[in-house]
Amino acid sequence: MTIENYICPSCNSPGLSVFYKAKNVPVNSCMMFSSHADAVNFPRGDVLLGFCKSCGFISNVAFDPSKLDYSSLAPEEQGFSATFNTYAQRLATRLIQTYDLRNKNISEIGCGRGDFLALLCELGNNYGVGIDPSTVSGGVESKASDRMIFIRDYYSDRYAKHLGDFICCRHTLEHIPNTADFVTSVRSAITTNNTYVFFEVPDVSRILHEVAFWDIYYEHCSYFNSGSLARLFRFCNFEVTNLMKDYFDQYLLIEAKPVSHVSSRIKGNEESIEATAKSVELFATSCQNKLDHWKNQLKRIKTERKRAIVWGSGSKCVAFMTTLGVEDEIEYIVDINPNRHGKFIPGVGKQIMPPEFLKQYKPNTVIVMNPVYCSEIKQELEKMGIEAELIPCL
Ligand SMILES: [Zn+2]
């Protein structure tokens, strides 16, 4: 199905073809609730993924930004995993070395609590400005606290003067429907040629190849691969200086500098529009098989009367459970983040428990939402003397 009158927000071309639908999914899969009733009654919306044949961009054409209010949320934290912390350290060190970020002014749009900004300020003796609708001053403990300020708001042109020598924006662009407007607004704020920007987003090529329907959420309205991301930055008068994948190929990283015209420099690793179109088609044809595979797994859990839990209570878990319509096959979710314990996830309304809960629950089956944490989880289970079958979400 092609929606002829829908204008691509990344390249302004008309016509997006819809290739995936997930109806009635929670509008924010990061949320958690104190009561089961609030969790199941949380507002829902539809996901209708459309593909732009002109630039390769993928967008939820049914997205309604008025359904989401990030200012009422607690800032997101991912800092409880050793694997993730090691990645953030390595990334901050590389950016400091590459862009000589020492005694500089660094800004981060969508900084959350400010953990990454703090890392850049600590490691390079930098000064930081963090802008995020959910951020709070003093939210992150840091030796660089007196060199950082936090602005609790959505980024807009009124904060242009706060953007410094280096602009970071991680895991934010995928939440923004009007992608070109946003990147253009950042571009307009830059007044010197040597101000570089660094953006990080999830890589949709992996989601398409792995048919990872659990990585498609309502609040992610914009999906990029290396090609569509680079094309967007060129469209908004940036020259792409580095384009790479990292974090087990799950994230796409782009570094770019401002130019006064549309750059013709194309990186060798940009995925072509033709290749993206093929991946989109493959996803569309394989998705039902993937859903059937998981529905059979759930049926097996039920008929064999296994005690199954899901490890990881974040967005992946919410999308996985909602899309599959999980009922009593899985009773609990386990998470290492203590702030989530006892809470309920939106949609199916299952409760989040600490890992220690498993000592008494003794699960037979552990579904691991993010396979990169498999070895961490295996060690945890062994320490508790639990023998369970680990099924990574693949
Ligand atoms: Zn487009």
Side-chain angles (χ1 to χ4, degrees):
M1 179 180 72
T2 303
I3 305 180
E4 302 292 348
N5 58 358
Y6 193 93
I7 302 294
C8 171
S10 276
C11 76
N12 284 348
S13 301
L16 270 83
S17 51
V18 172
F19 66 95
Y20 176 72
K21 286 179 196 178
K23 296 263 181 183
N24 265 324
V25 299
V27 295
N28 191 335
S29 49
C30 299
M31 296 278 287
M32 48 188 184
F33 302 86
S34 301
S35 89
H36 176 265
D38 287 348
V40 295
N41 292 324
F42 185 65
R44 295 176 186 234
D46 295 338
V47 172
L48 284 179
L49 291 189
F51 169 63
C52 171
K53 289 189 176 73
S54 300
C55 76
F57 180 59
I58 292 169
S59 141
N60 177 9
V61 299
F63 183 73
D64 174 3
S66 72
K67 289 194 174 198
L68 273 159
D69 175 16
Y70 290 104
S71 61
S72 63
L73 298 179
E76 259 183 79
E77 296 161 72
Q78 217 170 352
F80 290 97
S81 157
T83 312
F84 189 80
N85 288 339
T86 307
Y87 168 67
Q89 281 274 347
R90 180 166 58 78
L91 174 62
T93 307
R94 179 179 71 79
L95 292 175
I96 288 169
Q97 281 170 357
T98 309
Y99 298 100
D100 191 26
L101 304 179
R102 291 176 187 92
N103 304 306
K104 298 270 169 68
N105 294 312
I106 295 177
S107 29
E108 186 176 6
I109 301 171
C111 63
R113 210 171 60 157
D115 298 70
F116 190 70
L117 185 66
L119 207 50
L120 287 172
C121 291
E122 285 167 15
L123 297 175
N125 198 42
N126 293 305
Y127 299 81
V129 175
I131 305 166
D132 191 298
S134 70
T135 198
V136 281
S137 284
V140 59
E141 267 181 51
S142 167
K143 279 180 250 151
S145 287
D146 56 344
R147 298 197 302 273
M148 295 191 290
I149 60 159
F150 290 95
I151 298 168
R152 189 183 167 98
D153 202 354
Y154 292 92
Y155 176 75
S156 65
D157 293 339
R158 62 193 283 223
Y159 299 116
K161 61 179 183 293
H162 290 284
L163 298 186
D165 308 308
F166 187 79
I167 301 162
C168 274
C169 184
R170 302 177 66 222
H171 300 274
T172 298
L173 192 57
E174 67 271 26
H175 297 262
I176 293 170
N178 301 320
T179 43
D181 289 350
F182 179 77
V183 177
T184 299
S185 150
V186 174
R187 171 66 190 87
S188 316
I190 299 175
T191 49
T192 61
N193 290 339
N194 51 2
T195 300
Y196 280 74
V197 298
F198 165 72
F199 278 64
E200 185 179 280
V201 292
D203 179 21
V204 77
S205 67
R206 185 194 56 80
I207 299 174
L208 296 176
H209 290 154
E210 295 177 5
V211 197
F213 61 84
W214 49 83
D215 281 322
I216 297 168
Y217 332 120
Y218 189 83
E219 68 269 30
H220 283 186
C221 48
S222 298
Y223 295 81
F224 300 92
N225 66 14
S226 55
S228 59
L229 187 63
R231 272 170 230 123
L232 168 66
F233 276 77
R234 277 196 294 276
F235 185 70
C236 301
N237 283 0
F238 279 103
E239 182 177 295
V240 181
T241 55
N242 188 32
L243 181 66
M244 60 187 277
K245 292 182 188 184
D246 206 330
Y247 202 60
F248 309 91
D249 281 352
Q250 294 187 5
Y251 299 162
L252 204 50
L253 286 64
I254 192 167
E255 287 139 57
K257 65 175 184 185
V259 283
S260 53
H261 53 279
V262 174
S263 166
S264 55
R265 290 202 177 173
I266 292 169
K267 300 304 259 186
N269 57 346
E270 289 182 25
E271 195 171 317
S272 70
I273 297 168
E274 295 74 27
T276 311
K278 275 190 190 146
S279 303
V280 163
E281 204 177 314
L282 191 76
F283 178 92
T285 52
S286 326
C287 198
Q288 193 54 51
N289 283 345
K290 190 65 154 242
L291 289 166
D292 290 344
H293 162 80
W294 279 104
K295 281 179 181 162
N296 287 335
Q297 288 273 23
L298 293 175
K299 218 181 271 174
R300 181 176 70 92
I301 287 167
K302 196 168 180 171
T303 47
E304 293 177 7
R305 292 166 179 265
K306 300 263 187 189
R307 269 189 311 280
I309 61 117
V310 165
W311 191 299
S313 70
S315 308
K316 282 172 190 279
C317 167
V318 173
F320 178 82
M321 292 226 181
T322 320
T323 313
L324 290 171
V326 169
E327 290 173 352
D328 54 358
E329 303 92 337
I330 298 165
E331 290 294 350
Y332 293 104
I333 300 160
V334 161
D335 204 292
I336 53 172
N337 181 344
N339 301 334
R340 300 190 136 253
H341 297 158
K343 303 278 172 52
F344 297 82
I345 62 163
V348 294
K350 303 285 174 185
Q351 197 172 18
I352 307 163
M353 308 301 275
E356 300 76 52
F357 164 76
L358 299 180
K359 284 185 199 163
Q360 58 178 89
Y361 190 67
K362 295 188 177 61
N364 316 103
T365 305
V366 175
I367 298 172
V368 180
M369 284 321 303
N370 195 337
V372 305
Y373 300 131
C374 263
S375 57
E376 243 178 72
I377 293 167
K378 201 162 175 260
Q379 279 179 9
E380 278 286 316
L381 292 172
E382 275 167 12
K383 259 193 265 168
M384 293 189 283
I386 295 163
E387 270 185 54
E389 173 196 18
L390 248 67
I391 310 180
C393 248
L394 291 170

